[in-house]
Amino acid sequence: MNEMISVITITMLAVISPGPDFALVSRNSLLLSRRAGVLTAVGIGAGVLVHLTYTLLGVGLLMTRSIWLFNLLKLAGAAYLIWLGIRMLNSTPPDDGKIDGNGDTAAALSDLGALRAGFLTNALNPKTTVFVVSLFMQVVQPGTPLAVQLGYGAFISLAHLLWFSLVALLFSAGPVRSRMMALRHRVDRVFGVLLTGFGVLLASAGLPR
């Protein structure tokens, strides 16, 4: 019971802490659509499963203890965030974009694109690697049955999915979105700067190994 409470508490604190996942879901919900935000959240939940899989297989411990392998993941994640940020910074102003029948700028991201963006943002985030590996190494006991560990993994993934789906619902609410759509290009620039900044910090930070 103590182990379960610890897993739930640590997971919830980790999930709600601001980071690239939050920035991406917020941006897609505000500037694209509720559907895009929720699908981004689904991609994030799927990305968590990648970390859980290699952690349960023991590869996660190898990754966190291998300097070159961990740095490779860190640089790949940083490069992806910087690429996303630069795309947002170079986005076309709404006056030059395509307008749909409701007067909104047409979504520039397909369902698959939203899923992929959420998935890659999380799957390439080495801080999620550190979080998942540390949780299973420090909190989950070696004697914990595999079925229970899989249950913990399902909870961690579901917690990410539910939290970021809630973020998507809040940021895509009518009053919030209508105000932000008037400042669409500026909002895109802000999130572009945030994601680029996350990428630069990730590339330069001395993360735990």
Side-chain angles (χ1 to χ4, degrees), residues 121-144:
T121 298
N122 189 276
L124 293 176
N125 189 347
K127 290 189 175 181
T128 307
T129 302
V130 173
F131 159 64
V132 175
V133 173
S134 298
L135 185 65
F136 276 82
M137 291 297 298
Q138 304 296 328
V139 177
V140 180
Q141 300 299 314
T144 300

Side-chain angles (χ1 to χ4, degrees), residues 48-134:
V48 174
L49 294 177
V50 174
H51 299 288
L52 292 165
T53 299
Y54 62 62
T55 296
L56 291 176
L57 291 175
V59 180
L61 182 60
L62 172 64
M63 292 180 66
T64 56
R65 292 187 176 179
S66 172
I67 295 177
W68 73 268
L69 188 58
F70 191 80
N71 283 338
L72 180 63
L73 174 64
K74 182 172 71 171
L75 291 176
Y80 181 69
L81 290 177
I82 292 173
W83 176 76
L84 275 180
I86 291 175
R87 282 191 63 189
M88 294 177 192
L89 289 171
N90 292 331
S91 62
T92 305
D95 289 343
D96 298 327
K98 297 180 180 179
I99 307 297
D100 64 19
N102 297 318
D104 289 339
T105 304
L109 194 64
S110 65
D111 289 352
L112 181 59
L115 281 167
R116 182 173 58 243
F119 176 81
L120 291 176
T121 298
N122 189 276
L124 293 176
N125 189 347
K127 290 189 175 181
T128 307
T129 302
V130 173
F131 159 64
V132 175
V133 173
S134 298

